[in-house]
mmCIF file of all heavy atoms in Angstrom:
data_model
loop_
_atom_site.group_PDB
_atom_site.id
_atom_site.type_symbol
_atom_site.label_atom_id
_atom_site.label_comp_id
_atom_site.label_asym_id
_atom_site.label_seq_id
_atom_site.Cartn_x
_atom_site.Cartn_y
_atom_site.Cartn_z
ATOM 1 N N GLN A 1 -2.261 -5.894 22.206
ATOM 2 C CA GLN A 1 -3.219 -4.813 22.399
ATOM 3 C C GLN A 1 -4.594 -5.308 22.853
ATOM 4 O O GLN A 1 -5.586 -4.595 22.703
ATOM 5 C CB GLN A 1 -3.374 -4.019 21.085
ATOM 6 C CG GLN A 1 -2.089 -3.370 20.591
ATOM 7 C CD GLN A 1 -1.501 -2.406 21.607
ATOM 8 O OE1 GLN A 1 -2.230 -1.730 22.335
ATOM 9 N NE2 GLN A 1 -0.185 -2.340 21.679
ATOM 10 N N ALA A 2 -4.656 -6.502 23.416
ATOM 11 C CA ALA A 2 -5.934 -7.054 23.885
ATOM 12 C C ALA A 2 -5.864 -7.364 25.380
ATOM 13 O O ALA A 2 -4.830 -7.793 25.890
ATOM 14 C CB ALA A 2 -6.272 -8.325 23.109
ATOM 15 N N ARG A 3 -6.961 -7.140 26.053
ATOM 16 C CA ARG A 3 -7.020 -7.444 27.487
ATOM 17 C C ARG A 3 -7.105 -8.950 27.735
ATOM 18 O O ARG A 3 -6.614 -9.454 28.736
ATOM 19 C CB ARG A 3 -8.221 -6.732 28.115
ATOM 20 C CG ARG A 3 -8.123 -5.213 28.026
ATOM 21 C CD ARG A 3 -9.309 -4.508 28.654
ATOM 22 N NE ARG A 3 -9.178 -3.061 28.510
ATOM 23 C CZ ARG A 3 -9.649 -2.367 27.481
ATOM 24 N NH1 ARG A 3 -10.322 -2.990 26.506
ATOM 25 N NH2 ARG A 3 -9.471 -1.060 27.419
ATOM 26 N N GLN A 4 -7.761 -9.650 26.818
ATOM 27 C CA GLN A 4 -7.811 -11.113 26.859
ATOM 28 C C GLN A 4 -7.547 -11.635 25.457
ATOM 29 O O GLN A 4 -7.850 -10.955 24.463
ATOM 30 C CB GLN A 4 -9.180 -11.629 27.320
ATOM 31 C CG GLN A 4 -9.522 -11.347 28.757
ATOM 32 C CD GLN A 4 -10.791 -12.098 29.144
ATOM 33 O OE1 GLN A 4 -10.802 -13.306 29.360
ATOM 34 N NE2 GLN A 4 -11.894 -11.357 29.225
ATOM 35 N N SER A 5 -7.008 -12.859 25.376
ATOM 36 C CA SER A 5 -6.700 -13.446 24.070
ATOM 37 C C SER A 5 -7.262 -14.858 23.992
ATOM 38 O O SER A 5 -7.057 -15.664 24.907
ATOM 39 C CB SER A 5 -5.188 -13.486 23.843
ATOM 40 O OG SER A 5 -4.662 -12.177 23.813
ATOM 41 N N TYR A 6 -7.980 -15.129 22.890
ATOM 42 C CA TYR A 6 -8.543 -16.451 22.636
ATOM 43 C C TYR A 6 -7.876 -17.037 21.394
ATOM 44 O O TYR A 6 -7.695 -16.341 20.384
ATOM 45 C CB TYR A 6 -10.047 -16.383 22.371
ATOM 46 C CG TYR A 6 -10.907 -15.931 23.527
ATOM 47 C CD1 TYR A 6 -12.269 -15.710 23.338
ATOM 48 C CD2 TYR A 6 -10.392 -15.738 24.808
ATOM 49 C CE1 TYR A 6 -13.088 -15.298 24.383
ATOM 50 C CE2 TYR A 6 -11.189 -15.323 25.857
ATOM 51 C CZ TYR A 6 -12.537 -15.101 25.638
ATOM 52 O OH TYR A 6 -13.342 -14.690 26.679
ATOM 53 N N LEU A 7 -7.526 -18.312 21.450
ATOM 54 C CA LEU A 7 -7.017 -19.034 20.283
ATOM 55 C C LEU A 7 -8.077 -20.012 19.813
ATOM 56 O O LEU A 7 -8.672 -20.729 20.624
ATOM 57 C CB LEU A 7 -5.738 -19.794 20.647
ATOM 58 C CG LEU A 7 -5.177 -20.727 19.558
ATOM 59 C CD1 LEU A 7 -4.641 -19.923 18.376
ATOM 60 C CD2 LEU A 7 -4.095 -21.638 20.127
ATOM 61 N N VAL A 8 -8.314 -20.042 18.493
ATOM 62 C CA VAL A 8 -9.230 -21.027 17.901
ATOM 63 C C VAL A 8 -8.423 -21.870 16.922
ATOM 64 O O VAL A 8 -7.869 -21.369 15.955
ATOM 65 C CB VAL A 8 -10.429 -20.341 17.210
ATOM 66 C CG1 VAL A 8 -11.384 -19.763 18.240
ATOM 67 C CG2 VAL A 8 -10.001 -19.228 16.245
ATOM 68 N N ALA A 9 -8.333 -23.169 17.193
ATOM 69 C CA ALA A 9 -7.501 -24.045 16.350
ATOM 70 C C ALA A 9 -7.991 -25.476 16.464
ATOM 71 O O ALA A 9 -8.205 -25.981 17.568
ATOM 72 C CB ALA A 9 -6.037 -23.959 16.778
ATOM 73 N N ASP A 10 -8.159 -26.146 15.319
ATOM 74 C CA ASP A 10 -8.627 -27.532 15.324
ATOM 75 C C ASP A 10 -7.450 -28.505 15.378
ATOM 76 O O ASP A 10 -6.281 -28.109 15.364
ATOM 77 C CB ASP A 10 -9.504 -27.803 14.095
ATOM 78 C CG ASP A 10 -8.729 -27.689 12.804
ATOM 79 O OD1 ASP A 10 -7.970 -28.630 12.497
ATOM 80 O OD2 ASP A 10 -8.864 -26.666 12.098
ATOM 81 N N ALA A 11 -7.778 -29.789 15.429
ATOM 82 C CA ALA A 11 -6.777 -30.834 15.650
ATOM 83 C C ALA A 11 -5.701 -30.873 14.574
ATOM 84 O O ALA A 11 -4.565 -31.281 14.838
ATOM 85 C CB ALA A 11 -7.468 -32.191 15.741
ATOM 86 N N SER A 12 -6.023 -30.462 13.347
ATOM 87 C CA SER A 12 -5.032 -30.531 12.266
ATOM 88 C C SER A 12 -3.819 -29.649 12.545
ATOM 89 O O SER A 12 -2.721 -29.906 12.039
ATOM 90 C CB SER A 12 -5.668 -30.130 10.930
ATOM 91 O OG SER A 12 -5.994 -28.748 10.908
ATOM 92 N N LYS A 13 -3.993 -28.597 13.356
ATOM 93 C CA LYS A 13 -2.882 -27.685 13.637
ATOM 94 C C LYS A 13 -1.805 -28.348 14.499
ATOM 95 O O LYS A 13 -0.673 -27.884 14.552
ATOM 96 C CB LYS A 13 -3.403 -26.417 14.323
ATOM 97 C CG LYS A 13 -4.541 -25.728 13.564
ATOM 98 C CD LYS A 13 -4.127 -25.367 12.149
ATOM 99 C CE LYS A 13 -5.301 -24.861 11.328
ATOM 100 N NZ LYS A 13 -5.846 -23.597 11.760
ATOM 101 N N PHE A 14 -2.165 -29.456 15.166
ATOM 102 C CA PHE A 14 -1.207 -30.149 16.026
ATOM 103 C C PHE A 14 -0.218 -30.973 15.220
ATOM 104 O O PHE A 14 0.809 -31.407 15.764
ATOM 105 C CB PHE A 14 -1.956 -31.059 17.009
ATOM 106 C CG PHE A 14 -2.597 -30.332 18.145
ATOM 107 C CD1 PHE A 14 -3.425 -29.249 17.922
ATOM 108 C CD2 PHE A 14 -2.381 -30.724 19.448
ATOM 109 C CE1 PHE A 14 -4.022 -28.564 18.970
ATOM 110 C CE2 PHE A 14 -2.973 -30.057 20.515
ATOM 111 C CZ PHE A 14 -3.791 -28.980 20.264
ATOM 112 N N THR A 15 -0.528 -31.231 13.958
ATOM 113 C CA THR A 15 0.367 -32.037 13.123
ATOM 114 C C THR A 15 1.033 -31.207 12.040
ATOM 115 O O THR A 15 1.709 -31.747 11.179
ATOM 116 C CB THR A 15 -0.413 -33.187 12.460
ATOM 117 O OG1 THR A 15 -1.487 -32.657 11.667
ATOM 118 C CG2 THR A 15 -0.993 -34.116 13.506
ATOM 119 N N ARG A 16 0.843 -29.896 12.082
ATOM 120 C CA ARG A 16 1.410 -29.029 11.040
ATOM 121 C C ARG A 16 2.578 -28.231 11.600
ATOM 122 O O ARG A 16 2.527 -27.699 12.701
ATOM 123 C CB ARG A 16 0.359 -28.054 10.502
ATOM 124 C CG ARG A 16 -0.831 -28.738 9.871
ATOM 125 C CD ARG A 16 -1.633 -27.764 9.055
ATOM 126 N NE ARG A 16 -0.926 -27.382 7.861
ATOM 127 C CZ ARG A 16 -1.150 -26.261 7.180
ATOM 128 N NH1 ARG A 16 -2.020 -25.404 7.623
ATOM 129 N NH2 ARG A 16 -0.473 -26.005 6.092
ATOM 130 N N ALA A 17 3.627 -28.144 10.802
ATOM 131 C CA ALA A 17 4.781 -27.327 11.161
ATOM 132 C C ALA A 17 4.743 -26.049 10.342
ATOM 133 O O ALA A 17 4.284 -26.033 9.210
ATOM 134 C CB ALA A 17 6.080 -28.080 10.891
ATOM 135 N N ALA A 18 5.199 -24.967 10.910
ATOM 136 C CA ALA A 18 5.318 -23.687 10.208
ATOM 137 C C ALA A 18 6.546 -22.983 10.772
ATOM 138 O O ALA A 18 6.908 -23.189 11.936
ATOM 139 C CB ALA A 18 4.056 -22.839 10.388
ATOM 140 N N PRO A 19 7.215 -22.134 9.970
ATOM 141 C CA PRO A 19 8.549 -21.665 10.358
ATOM 142 C C PRO A 19 8.618 -20.414 11.225
ATOM 143 O O PRO A 19 9.694 -20.065 11.694
ATOM 144 C CB PRO A 19 9.219 -21.403 9.004
ATOM 145 C CG PRO A 19 8.089 -21.020 8.102
ATOM 146 C CD PRO A 19 6.906 -21.823 8.563
ATOM 147 N N VAL A 20 7.486 -19.710 11.432
ATOM 148 C CA VAL A 20 7.553 -18.422 12.134
ATOM 149 C C VAL A 20 6.704 -18.490 13.408
ATOM 150 O O VAL A 20 5.548 -18.902 13.383
ATOM 151 C CB VAL A 20 7.071 -17.260 11.248
ATOM 152 C CG1 VAL A 20 7.387 -15.919 11.924
ATOM 153 C CG2 VAL A 20 7.709 -17.320 9.862
ATOM 154 N N LYS A 21 7.285 -18.065 14.520
ATOM 155 C CA LYS A 21 6.601 -18.132 15.811
ATOM 156 C C LYS A 21 5.813 -16.858 16.078
ATOM 157 O O LYS A 21 6.359 -15.758 16.044
ATOM 158 C CB LYS A 21 7.627 -18.356 16.928
ATOM 159 C CG LYS A 21 7.025 -18.439 18.323
ATOM 160 C CD LYS A 21 8.101 -18.682 19.375
ATOM 161 C CE LYS A 21 7.541 -18.615 20.783
ATOM 162 N NZ LYS A 21 8.574 -18.860 21.805
ATOM 163 N N ILE A 22 4.518 -17.028 16.360
ATOM 164 C CA ILE A 22 3.668 -15.905 16.765
ATOM 165 C C ILE A 22 3.871 -15.607 18.248
ATOM 166 O O ILE A 22 4.043 -14.469 18.662
ATOM 167 C CB ILE A 22 2.177 -16.231 16.530
ATOM 168 C CG1 ILE A 22 1.896 -16.514 15.058
ATOM 169 C CG2 ILE A 22 1.298 -15.101 17.040
ATOM 170 C CD1 ILE A 22 0.505 -17.073 14.796
ATOM 171 N N GLY A 23 3.816 -16.650 19.041
ATOM 172 C CA GLY A 23 3.908 -16.500 20.488
ATOM 173 C C GLY A 23 3.707 -17.849 21.139
ATOM 174 O O GLY A 23 4.045 -18.893 20.554
ATOM 175 N N SER A 24 3.119 -17.858 22.310
ATOM 176 C CA SER A 24 2.967 -19.077 23.091
ATOM 177 C C SER A 24 1.558 -19.168 23.651
ATOM 178 O O SER A 24 0.869 -18.157 23.847
ATOM 179 C CB SER A 24 3.979 -19.077 24.237
ATOM 180 O OG SER A 24 3.686 -20.089 25.182
ATOM 181 N N LEU A 25 1.142 -20.402 23.934
ATOM 182 C CA LEU A 25 -0.118 -20.599 24.639
ATOM 183 C C LEU A 25 -0.119 -19.909 25.997
ATOM 184 O O LEU A 25 -1.175 -19.634 26.561
ATOM 185 C CB LEU A 25 -0.393 -22.095 24.839
ATOM 186 C CG LEU A 25 -1.087 -22.840 23.695
ATOM 187 C CD1 LEU A 25 -1.214 -24.312 24.044
ATOM 188 C CD2 LEU A 25 -2.459 -22.246 23.399
ATOM 189 N N ALA A 26 1.063 -19.602 26.516
ATOM 190 C CA ALA A 26 1.158 -18.876 27.789
ATOM 191 C C ALA A 26 0.530 -17.498 27.692
ATOM 192 O O ALA A 26 0.149 -16.910 28.713
ATOM 193 C CB ALA A 26 2.621 -18.758 28.212
ATOM 194 N N GLN A 27 0.406 -16.958 26.471
ATOM 195 C CA GLN A 27 -0.205 -15.639 26.251
ATOM 196 C C GLN A 27 -1.706 -15.725 26.020
ATOM 197 O O GLN A 27 -2.367 -14.700 25.853
ATOM 198 C CB GLN A 27 0.453 -14.959 25.049
ATOM 199 C CG GLN A 27 1.940 -14.724 25.186
ATOM 200 C CD GLN A 27 2.564 -14.335 23.861
ATOM 201 O OE1 GLN A 27 3.190 -15.143 23.179
ATOM 202 N NE2 GLN A 27 2.377 -13.078 23.479
ATOM 203 N N ILE A 28 -2.242 -16.932 25.975
ATOM 204 C CA ILE A 28 -3.647 -17.159 25.624
ATOM 205 C C ILE A 28 -4.463 -17.432 26.881
ATOM 206 O O ILE A 28 -4.086 -18.238 27.733
ATOM 207 C CB ILE A 28 -3.759 -18.360 24.654
ATOM 208 C CG1 ILE A 28 -2.944 -18.094 23.374
ATOM 209 C CG2 ILE A 28 -5.211 -18.641 24.322
ATOM 210 C CD1 ILE A 28 -3.388 -16.894 22.574
ATOM 211 N N ASP A 29 -5.599 -16.747 26.998
ATOM 212 C CA ASP A 29 -6.487 -16.973 28.143
ATOM 213 C C ASP A 29 -7.394 -18.178 27.935
ATOM 214 O O ASP A 29 -7.610 -18.960 28.869
ATOM 215 C CB ASP A 29 -7.339 -15.721 28.392
ATOM 216 C CG ASP A 29 -6.491 -14.531 28.807
ATOM 217 O OD1 ASP A 29 -6.020 -14.529 29.951
ATOM 218 O OD2 ASP A 29 -6.282 -13.633 27.973
ATOM 219 N N ARG A 30 -7.928 -18.333 26.724
ATOM 220 C CA ARG A 30 -8.791 -19.483 26.422
ATOM 221 C C ARG A 30 -8.398 -20.066 25.069
ATOM 222 O O ARG A 30 -8.220 -19.326 24.091
ATOM 223 C CB ARG A 30 -10.271 -19.086 26.396
ATOM 224 C CG ARG A 30 -10.825 -18.642 27.732
ATOM 225 C CD ARG A 30 -12.340 -18.458 27.653
ATOM 226 N NE ARG A 30 -12.877 -17.844 28.861
ATOM 227 C CZ ARG A 30 -14.163 -17.585 29.050
ATOM 228 N NH1 ARG A 30 -15.062 -17.903 28.115
ATOM 229 N NH2 ARG A 30 -14.571 -17.022 30.174
ATOM 230 N N PHE A 31 -8.292 -21.374 25.036
ATOM 231 C CA PHE A 31 -7.934 -22.097 23.816
ATOM 232 C C PHE A 31 -9.108 -22.989 23.446
ATOM 233 O O PHE A 31 -9.415 -23.960 24.131
ATOM 234 C CB PHE A 31 -6.665 -22.907 24.065
ATOM 235 C CG PHE A 31 -6.251 -23.803 22.924
ATOM 236 C CD1 PHE A 31 -6.666 -23.556 21.623
ATOM 237 C CD2 PHE A 31 -5.429 -24.891 23.153
ATOM 238 C CE1 PHE A 31 -6.278 -24.383 20.576
ATOM 239 C CE2 PHE A 31 -5.028 -25.723 22.126
ATOM 240 C CZ PHE A 31 -5.460 -25.470 20.831
ATOM 241 N N PHE A 32 -9.797 -22.653 22.344
ATOM 242 C CA PHE A 32 -10.947 -23.411 21.864
ATOM 243 C C PHE A 32 -10.471 -24.399 20.797
ATOM 244 O O PHE A 32 -9.916 -23.989 19.774
ATOM 245 C CB PHE A 32 -11.998 -22.470 21.271
ATOM 246 C CG PHE A 32 -12.594 -21.517 22.270
ATOM 247 C CD1 PHE A 32 -11.968 -20.315 22.560
ATOM 248 C CD2 PHE A 32 -13.774 -21.828 22.931
ATOM 249 C CE1 PHE A 32 -12.512 -19.432 23.479
ATOM 250 C CE2 PHE A 32 -14.327 -20.955 23.858
ATOM 251 C CZ PHE A 32 -13.690 -19.750 24.131
ATOM 252 N N THR A 33 -10.715 -25.695 21.032
ATOM 253 C CA THR A 33 -10.209 -26.708 20.112
ATOM 254 C C THR A 33 -11.079 -27.957 20.183
ATOM 255 O O THR A 33 -11.839 -28.153 21.138
ATOM 256 C CB THR A 33 -8.743 -27.067 20.446
ATOM 257 O OG1 THR A 33 -8.235 -27.986 19.474
ATOM 258 C CG2 THR A 33 -8.623 -27.662 21.845
ATOM 259 N N ASP A 34 -10.941 -28.796 19.166
ATOM 260 C CA ASP A 34 -11.590 -30.106 19.188
ATOM 261 C C ASP A 34 -10.580 -31.194 19.509
ATOM 262 O O ASP A 34 -10.917 -32.375 19.501
ATOM 263 C CB ASP A 34 -12.237 -30.394 17.832
ATOM 264 C CG ASP A 34 -11.206 -30.516 16.712
ATOM 265 O OD1 ASP A 34 -10.184 -29.785 16.763
ATOM 266 O OD2 ASP A 34 -11.406 -31.319 15.786
ATOM 267 N N ALA A 35 -9.346 -30.808 19.797
ATOM 268 C CA ALA A 35 -8.261 -31.766 19.962
ATOM 269 C C ALA A 35 -8.034 -32.133 21.421
ATOM 270 O O ALA A 35 -8.338 -31.360 22.330
ATOM 271 C CB ALA A 35 -6.967 -31.193 19.384
ATOM 272 N N SER A 36 -7.474 -33.321 21.609
ATOM 273 C CA SER A 36 -7.030 -33.735 22.932
ATOM 274 C C SER A 36 -5.546 -33.413 23.052
ATOM 275 O O SER A 36 -4.729 -33.937 22.306
ATOM 276 C CB SER A 36 -7.258 -35.241 23.111
ATOM 277 O OG SER A 36 -6.753 -35.661 24.353
ATOM 278 N N LEU A 37 -5.207 -32.534 23.965
ATOM 279 C CA LEU A 37 -3.810 -32.156 24.159
ATOM 280 C C LEU A 37 -3.087 -33.231 24.970
ATOM 281 O O LEU A 37 -3.688 -33.885 25.815
ATOM 282 C CB LEU A 37 -3.706 -30.823 24.897
ATOM 283 C CG LEU A 37 -3.923 -29.543 24.087
ATOM 284 C CD1 LEU A 37 -5.347 -29.424 23.599
ATOM 285 C CD2 LEU A 37 -3.553 -28.324 24.928
ATOM 286 N N GLY A 38 -1.806 -33.382 24.702
ATOM 287 C CA GLY A 38 -1.015 -34.322 25.481
ATOM 288 C C GLY A 38 -0.885 -33.865 26.922
ATOM 289 O O GLY A 38 -1.075 -32.697 27.250
ATOM 290 N N GLU A 39 -0.551 -34.816 27.786
ATOM 291 C CA GLU A 39 -0.490 -34.522 29.218
ATOM 292 C C GLU A 39 0.486 -33.395 29.530
ATOM 293 O O GLU A 39 0.205 -32.527 30.363
ATOM 294 C CB GLU A 39 -0.102 -35.783 29.988
ATOM 295 C CG GLU A 39 -0.095 -35.607 31.495
ATOM 296 C CD GLU A 39 0.246 -36.880 32.229
ATOM 297 O OE1 GLU A 39 0.350 -37.936 31.561
ATOM 298 O OE2 GLU A 39 0.412 -36.827 33.462
ATOM 299 N N THR A 40 1.635 -33.399 28.853
ATOM 300 C CA THR A 40 2.647 -32.366 29.108
ATOM 301 C C THR A 40 2.105 -30.982 28.799
ATOM 302 O O THR A 40 2.266 -30.038 29.594
ATOM 303 C CB THR A 40 3.914 -32.626 28.272
ATOM 304 O OG1 THR A 40 4.464 -33.890 28.632
ATOM 305 C CG2 THR A 40 4.956 -31.535 28.524
ATOM 306 N N LEU A 41 1.435 -30.853 27.654
ATOM 307 C CA LEU A 41 0.914 -29.545 27.262
ATOM 308 C C LEU A 41 -0.261 -29.130 28.147
ATOM 309 O O LEU A 41 -0.416 -27.950 28.465
ATOM 310 C CB LEU A 41 0.499 -29.565 25.790
ATOM 311 C CG LEU A 41 0.290 -28.214 25.106
ATOM 312 C CD1 LEU A 41 1.471 -27.285 25.346
ATOM 313 C CD2 LEU A 41 0.041 -28.389 23.614
ATOM 314 N N ILE A 42 -1.059 -30.096 28.567
ATOM 315 C CA ILE A 42 -2.153 -29.788 29.495
ATOM 316 C C ILE A 42 -1.590 -29.219 30.796
ATOM 317 O O ILE A 42 -2.088 -28.216 31.331
ATOM 318 C CB ILE A 42 -2.999 -31.040 29.776
ATOM 319 C CG1 ILE A 42 -3.819 -31.415 28.534
ATOM 320 C CG2 ILE A 42 -3.936 -30.814 30.965
ATOM 321 C CD1 ILE A 42 -4.571 -32.723 28.670
ATOM 322 N N ASN A 43 -0.552 -29.847 31.291
ATOM 323 C CA ASN A 43 0.062 -29.367 32.539
ATOM 324 C C ASN A 43 0.650 -27.971 32.367
ATOM 325 O O ASN A 43 0.549 -27.125 33.273
ATOM 326 C CB ASN A 43 1.142 -30.340 32.997
ATOM 327 C CG ASN A 43 0.570 -31.667 33.470
ATOM 328 O OD1 ASN A 43 -0.584 -31.732 33.885
ATOM 329 N ND2 ASN A 43 1.366 -32.718 33.413
ATOM 330 N N ARG A 44 1.259 -27.721 31.211
ATOM 331 C CA ARG A 44 1.811 -26.393 30.962
ATOM 332 C C ARG A 44 0.704 -25.350 30.899
ATOM 333 O O ARG A 44 0.853 -24.241 31.428
ATOM 334 C CB ARG A 44 2.618 -26.396 29.657
ATOM 335 C CG ARG A 44 3.963 -27.099 29.780
ATOM 336 C CD ARG A 44 4.721 -27.094 28.476
ATOM 337 N NE ARG A 44 6.054 -27.658 28.642
ATOM 338 C CZ ARG A 44 6.890 -27.917 27.646
ATOM 339 N NH1 ARG A 44 6.522 -27.659 26.400
ATOM 340 N NH2 ARG A 44 8.081 -28.426 27.886
ATOM 341 N N CYS A 45 -0.396 -25.692 30.253
ATOM 342 C CA CYS A 45 -1.520 -24.750 30.191
ATOM 343 C C CYS A 45 -2.049 -24.439 31.593
ATOM 344 O O CYS A 45 -2.410 -23.292 31.888
ATOM 345 C CB CYS A 45 -2.630 -25.318 29.306
ATOM 346 S SG CYS A 45 -2.274 -25.245 27.530
ATOM 347 N N GLN A 46 -2.096 -25.445 32.447
ATOM 348 C CA GLN A 46 -2.538 -25.210 33.828
ATOM 349 C C GLN A 46 -1.583 -24.252 34.537
ATOM 350 O O GLN A 46 -2.015 -23.351 35.262
ATOM 351 C CB GLN A 46 -2.629 -26.542 34.567
ATOM 352 C CG GLN A 46 -3.781 -27.423 34.104
ATOM 353 C CD GLN A 46 -3.782 -28.789 34.759
ATOM 354 O OE1 GLN A 46 -2.778 -29.214 35.349
ATOM 355 N NE2 GLN A 46 -4.892 -29.493 34.655
ATOM 356 N N ASP A 47 -0.284 -24.454 34.315
ATOM 357 C CA ASP A 47 0.713 -23.558 34.942
ATOM 358 C C ASP A 47 0.584 -22.131 34.402
ATOM 359 O O ASP A 47 0.776 -21.167 35.147
ATOM 360 C CB ASP A 47 2.118 -24.083 34.684
ATOM 361 C CG ASP A 47 2.412 -25.381 35.422
ATOM 362 O OD1 ASP A 47 1.699 -25.676 36.390
ATOM 363 O OD2 ASP A 47 3.339 -26.108 35.009
ATOM 364 N N TRP A 48 0.300 -22.016 33.111
ATOM 365 C CA TRP A 48 0.200 -20.698 32.483
ATOM 366 C C TRP A 48 -1.130 -20.008 32.766
ATOM 367 O O TRP A 48 -1.270 -18.803 32.518
ATOM 368 C CB TRP A 48 0.373 -20.826 30.971
ATOM 369 C CG TRP A 48 1.732 -21.253 30.525
ATOM 370 C CD1 TRP A 48 2.914 -20.984 31.137
ATOM 371 C CD2 TRP A 48 2.049 -22.036 29.353
ATOM 372 N NE1 TRP A 48 3.963 -21.539 30.426
ATOM 373 C CE2 TRP A 48 3.458 -22.181 29.332
ATOM 374 C CE3 TRP A 48 1.301 -22.612 28.319
ATOM 375 C CZ2 TRP A 48 4.127 -22.894 28.313
ATOM 376 C CZ3 TRP A 48 1.952 -23.310 27.319
ATOM 377 C CH2 TRP A 48 3.343 -23.450 27.317
#
């Protein structure tokens, strides 16, 4: 129900597992983080 979607997540979220999927970074317009994403995920974000 939003025209744009922002994700806010720090580096600790990259090492945490959780069992229920909300969605994908493909649905996010801007991702605010202090983390360095791996090359594969960076490329996927560019594609998305």
Side-chain angles (χ1 to χ4, degrees):
Q1 299 301 325
R3 297 180 181 90
Q4 292 189 76
S5 297
Y6 295 174
L7 173 69
V8 288
D10 65 76
S12 69
K13 307 303 172 67
F14 284 52
T15 58
R16 299 195 71 203
V20 190
K21 180 179 174 180
I22 300 170
S24 168
L25 274 177
Q27 300 168 259
I28 301 299
D29 295 287
R30 294 188 188 180
F31 175 23
F32 296 85
T33 184
D34 65 325
S36 176
L37 281 67
E39 184 178 353
T40 299
L41 196 50
I42 289 174
N43 291 335
R44 286 179 175 172
C45 285
Q46 289 175 344
D47 291 341
W48 293 329

